[in-house]
Amino acid sequence: MSDPALVSRRFFGVAIAAVVLTSCINFAPAVPSQASSVEAARSLDAAFADVTGDGSEDVIVGVALPGADAVMRMAQCGSGCLERREQVVLGGNLGGIDTADFDGDGVEDVVVVTSVDARVYFGGAAAAGRPEGLVADDFVVVGVPEQL
C-alpha cells in the first residue's frame, strides 16, 4: 500500500485537511447474516428503528408471503449479524413501512400501509406479559383504503 497523501482545501474560508489513500483498500470479507437469504429475496421494504427501547436500532423488514405479507424485526446479534425476532402477518399486500414514536412513549413504532388498511404497530420493551418489540395484537388501524 502506498503512503497516504494529505489533501488540504478551503471551503467557505475554513481549511479542511484529509488523508487520502493513494492505493486500493482491502476490506475484510463480508460477515454472513443469520437472516435467511430466502427472506432477503422476498423483501419489499425496510426501515431502521429502535422498537424495543434498548438504544439499538433494529432492521424492520417487510416481506412477501403467499396470501399475506408480513413485517419482521431483525435484531443485532453481535459481530455484524442479524437474527429474526418477531414476524407479524399483515392480512394484505404491503405497500410501505415507516417508523416514528406515534404514542409518545419514547420507543419507536412502525406504521404499515397494506392493500387492506394502514396500521400502527406499537414498539415497546418487555413488560408485564408483553414481549419486547412488535406484537401482532398491539396495533391501531389508522385508515382504510377509502380514507387513504
Side-chain angles (χ1 to χ4, degrees), residues 2 4 7 10-11 14 38 46-47 61 66 71 78 81 85 89-91 99 102 129 133 140-141 146:
S2 301
V7 177
R10 291 188 80 71
F11 293 97
V14 177
V38 174
V61 182
V71 171
C81 72
R85 294 292 173 90
V89 177
L90 302 174
T99 63
F102 292 100
V140 62
V141 175
E146 297 82 36

Side-chain angles (χ1 to χ4, degrees), residues 35-43:
S36 166
S37 59
V38 174
E39 289 163 0
R42 300 179 305 189
S43 298

Side-chain angles (χ1 to χ4, degrees), residues 27-49:
F27 293 98
V31 176
S33 171
Q34 293 178 353
S36 166
S37 59
V38 174
E39 289 163 0
R42 300 179 305 189
S43 298
L44 301 172
D45 200 359
F48 295 90

